[in-house]
Amino acid sequence: MPVKQTDRSQSGATIYDVARVAGVSAMTVSRVMNGNAHVSDATRDKVTAAIESLNYQVNFAARAARVGTLGVGLLYSNPSSAYMSAFLVGAMDQCSQSGGQLILERCDDLRSQRSAIARLIANGADGILVPPPLCDSKSALKQLDQIGMPTVAIATGRPLAGVSAVRIDDYEGAMAMMRYLLGRGHKDIAFIQGDPLHTPAQLRYKAYRDAMAEAGLEVSPERVAPGLFTYRSGLTAARQLLAHKSRPTAIFAANDDMAAAVVAVAHGLHLQVPEDLVVCGFDDTPVATTVWPELTTIHQPISDMARAAVDLLVDQIRRRRAGEPASVQHKLLPFTLITRESSDASLAGV
């Protein structure tokens, strides 16, 4: 199943520039470029004239390659390569089964977000998948809604009423991890937060605090460190948490990349994991089983979530082509607590 990385129009113009000059929406421009029959001749003429006046270069090769297929756009900016690798496996597999072509576009900040969406549309995206952290970007979701683009948000902690979404219960997942640690006798548990703008990070931190309160334990400020879901931020957080004379007996990181960083810092301090320090993560990405000792974590079925998201998006696209009303769905997938050697030495070699 081919994957297309899009390019900006050689003229520098975007689909939004064409829409502005033609006095129509970007989605209408997209319909004209896709040869949609449900566009009036007058509108088609205006859009064609705008395209010619701006010397807008449509990627006709990409369009020719996907005749009879569905354009599944993927707008991403995730800093975790492990997460995106797992996501792409599921997305490509489901696209192959659904007759879709996955079209990738990266954006690094709010400024590049608008042009990235424009490039996806120009290159034939009929709908767009929005994985984390962009799934929580109000500006991205608002922009997609304004142009009428079928959209599915993946792994948002608080899905919007008007946007289809696929997720797990991050709060209950983190609560399951905390109850596991508390049940093993840990009372001094530290926590590394994720990106504060990402709703699952907020829910995982809330679960940590609620579980500690439920157990009648106070949370000291020195037992909480900020993170950004990246390995590097995990290194900084781990050094901060382990710099105190009185160290926690367990560290729960909001994702596996940061948990792996904790293990590295612990090794550098000659601490044995899990004998001297228990380390747990979240997501169960490939890094969880490539570090030593392997990580106890919450399994988030990322590939299955990607498959479900593609399935929802394809259904939206087909409904739209048939002139049927959009069907907004929120799909909740199960999580699993996976125990490994980083919390239980008896599991070594199992």
Side-chain angles (χ1 to χ4, degrees):
M1 197 283 302
V3 177
K4 172 69 181 176
Q5 180 73 38
T6 64
D7 297 313
R8 186 180 179 84
S9 169
Q10 293 178 357
S11 67
T14 72
I15 195 170
Y16 295 100
D17 297 320
V18 174
R20 175 178 50 79
V21 172
V24 299
S25 69
M27 184 51 65
T28 297
V29 176
S30 178
R31 289 195 185 106
V32 171
M33 291 191 299
N34 281 307
N36 192 304
H38 301 292
V39 178
S40 70
D41 290 340
T43 299
R44 193 180 306 278
D45 290 344
K46 284 195 297 183
V47 171
T48 301
I51 289 173
E52 291 176 352
S53 69
L54 292 170
N55 192 29
Y56 181 67
Q57 303 296 312
V58 182
N59 192 337
F60 290 107
R63 293 186 181 284
R66 56 172 292 270
V67 170
T69 66
L70 302 171
V72 177
L74 174 59
L75 183 69
Y76 72 100
S77 67
N78 198 300
S80 171
S81 58
Y83 185 98
M84 284 309 301
S85 294
F87 186 88
L88 284 170
V89 167
M92 289 189 292
D93 180 59
Q94 192 61 36
C95 278
S96 179
Q97 294 184 41
S98 304
Q101 180 179 5
L102 194 61
I103 308 169
L104 309 182
E105 188 62 56
R106 180 187 179 93
C107 65
D108 297 310
D109 51 38
L110 289 175
R111 290 183 60 190
S112 64
Q113 188 173 278
R114 184 180 179 87
S115 58
I117 292 174
R119 290 193 295 273
L120 281 173
I121 296 171
N123 282 273
D126 299 301
I128 295 180
L129 302 173
V130 188
L134 289 171
C135 59
D136 287 320
S137 170
K138 292 181 180 179
S139 61
L141 295 177
K142 181 180 179 181
Q143 183 181 347
L144 291 167
D145 179 62
Q146 287 176 337
I147 61 178
M149 176 63 72
T151 303
V152 177
I154 300 96
T156 175
R158 299 185 182 93
L160 300 177
V163 179
S164 288
V166 178
R167 66 186 182 94
I168 63 166
D169 192 327
D170 289 272
Y171 179 85
E172 287 300 328
M175 284 294 283
M177 181 63 78
M178 286 299 297
R179 287 169 180 156
Y180 165 76
L181 292 172
L182 291 163
R184 292 181 66 84
H186 292 280
K187 295 183 178 180
D188 191 355
I189 305 170
F191 187 79
I192 300 179
Q193 299 169 294
D195 185 338
L197 298 179
H198 190 29
T199 52
Q202 299 166 15
L203 292 173
R204 294 172 196 180
Y205 178 50
K206 185 177 188 304
Y208 162 74
R209 297 195 68 92
D210 287 352
M212 292 291 280
E214 184 181 271
L217 301 171
E218 292 187 8
V219 175
S220 168
E222 68 182 25
R223 291 300 190 243
V224 177
L228 291 171
F229 284 139
T230 62
Y231 183 85
R232 184 173 295 277
S233 71
L235 290 174
T236 302
R239 290 170 183 141
Q240 176 183 324
L241 293 172
L242 297 175
H244 304 285
K245 264 188 178 179
S246 173
R247 294 181 177 129
T249 62
I251 295 179
F252 177 20
N255 81 338
D256 294 334
D257 283 9
M258 296 190 298
V262 175
V263 172
V265 171
H267 287 165
L269 294 172
H270 305 292
L271 297 175
Q272 297 297 312
V273 178
E275 291 83 0
D276 300 323
L277 177 71
V278 162
V279 180
C280 299
F282 201 112
D283 289 335
D284 198 25
T285 51
V287 70
T289 52
T290 53
V291 298
W292 178 83
E294 295 184 358
L295 294 173
T296 289
T297 186
I298 295 295
H299 175 71
Q300 179 173 200
I302 299 169
S303 291
D304 288 342
M305 291 167 72
R307 291 185 183 93
V310 170
D311 192 45
L312 287 180
L313 189 64
V314 167
D315 179 68
Q316 285 190 35
I317 294 169
R318 286 178 173 156
R319 282 174 175 271
R320 178 175 186 147
R321 288 184 175 181
E324 299 175 3
S327 175
V328 175
Q329 299 181 55
H330 291 168
K331 187 168 287 190
L332 187 68
L333 271 61
F335 63 82
T336 310
L337 172 63
I338 306 293
T339 55
R340 298 193 181 101
E341 190 183 350
S342 73
S343 68
D344 188 346
S346 68
L347 296 176
V350 176

